[in-house]
Amino acid sequence: MPELSQGAWIVVGAVLFGVVALPVLALSRRRRARNTRVMVRPTQGKNTVPKIRDFRDWLLEQTPPYILVSGAKASARYYIGYLDGVAAVIAKKDGADPETMVVKGVAALEAMRLLGDPGQRDSQLEEGLNLLAQALLTSPGQKGRADGMADAEVAAKTANLHDVAYFERYATHFEFKFANAATPMPMATDPAAVG
């Protein structure tokens, strides 16, 4: 066997390193990337987030503006918990996991809007998820989530998330009457109907 120079050994070592170590590193990166991805399976819940956004917009239209003003932390926590509870029911009905970041994203952004620091609005989703988790640990947040789930269960059975008759716990909590009781809208079932 011929004797190899020091430079040749370095080349052989580099080749062996490339053959053994690089695939291992690539596989670990791939595994790590797969673990950080959070998404709804394409066949299940593809309309979930638009339905949640649509419900949020409808609920905000129904809510008197004085309820969710700056500084009303207990009201904001109840509202955020309520929205999270309704989102969980919508996700379950659609066959999506209600605990994914995608489903919780709408309530998280509302938490950021109502409870977050206006100077920190660039990192909205991450900060919003933290604020959502904190809000759900409070009594108003827990009550809101429970009320939202209870109201949405009944509304989801009728496939109508825009009928004020199904969301009386929300109005009762804030002590107001829905102004638009005569105009229920059917729940959107396809992305084109959700604007």
Side-chain angles (χ1 to χ4, degrees), residues 60-125:
L60 285 173
E61 286 173 10
Q62 303 299 319
T63 304
Y66 62 85
I67 290 176
L68 298 174
V69 294
S70 177
K73 300 279 189 197
S75 295
R77 288 181 181 120
Y78 178 87
Y79 161 74
I80 291 162
Y82 192 90
L83 184 59
D84 187 60
V86 171
V89 171
I90 292 171
K92 275 187 359 190
K93 184 178 182 297
D94 285 356
D97 181 0
E99 296 303 315
T100 62
M101 183 170 43
V102 173
V103 172
K104 290 194 165 292
V106 176
L109 291 176
E110 286 295 284
M112 184 61 199
R113 182 176 71 84
L114 295 169
L115 300 173
D117 177 10
Q120 297 294 324
R121 297 250 166 109
D122 289 338
S123 59
Q124 285 186 354
L125 188 57

Side-chain angles (χ1 to χ4, degrees), residues 5 25 42 55 71 76 91 100 113-114 119 126 128-129 137 139 142 167 174 189:
S5 68
L25 289 173
F55 177 80
T100 62
R113 182 176 71 84
L114 295 169
E126 184 179 330
L129 288 168
L137 291 175
S139 294
Q142 290 172 0
F167 300 99
F174 289 122
T189 55

Side-chain angles (χ1 to χ4, degrees), residues 22-182:
L22 291 179
V24 171
L25 289 173
L27 185 60
S28 70
R29 277 188 183 164
R30 188 183 212 181
R31 215 177 278 147
R32 190 174 32 226
R34 188 178 315 138
N35 290 339
T36 59
R37 253 186 268 150
V38 179
M39 56 201 254
V40 178
R41 283 185 271 166
T43 57
Q44 296 179 326
K46 64 182 175 182
N47 298 324
T48 301
V49 174
K51 287 178 190 175
I52 296 167
R53 281 190 200 123
D54 189 43
F55 177 80
R56 178 213 46 211
D57 295 345
W58 175 83
L59 190 62
L60 285 173
E61 286 173 10
Q62 303 299 319
T63 304
Y66 62 85
I67 290 176
L68 298 174
V69 294
S70 177
K73 300 279 189 197
S75 295
R77 288 181 181 120
Y78 178 87
Y79 161 74
I80 291 162
Y82 192 90
L83 184 59
D84 187 60
V86 171
V89 171
I90 292 171
K92 275 187 359 190
K93 184 178 182 297
D94 285 356
D97 181 0
E99 296 303 315
T100 62
M101 183 170 43
V102 173
V103 172
K104 290 194 165 292
V106 176
L109 291 176
E110 286 295 284
M112 184 61 199
R113 182 176 71 84
L114 295 169
L115 300 173
D117 177 10
Q120 297 294 324
R121 297 250 166 109
D122 289 338
S123 59
Q124 285 186 354
L125 188 57
E126 184 179 330
E127 180 67 18
L129 288 168
N130 290 336
L131 290 168
L132 172 61
Q134 291 171 13
L136 292 176
L137 291 175
T138 66
S139 294
Q142 290 172 0
K143 182 176 182 341
R145 189 168 202 284
D147 287 355
M149 291 179 81
D151 284 350
E153 283 289 340
V154 177
K157 287 179 185 168
T158 65
N160 192 346
L161 288 173
H162 295 94
D163 188 343
V164 295
Y166 299 115
F167 300 99
E168 281 302 313
R169 285 179 182 88
Y170 182 81
T172 301
H173 176 80
F174 289 122
E175 299 175 347
F176 77 93
K177 295 245 186 252
F178 285 112
N180 206 1

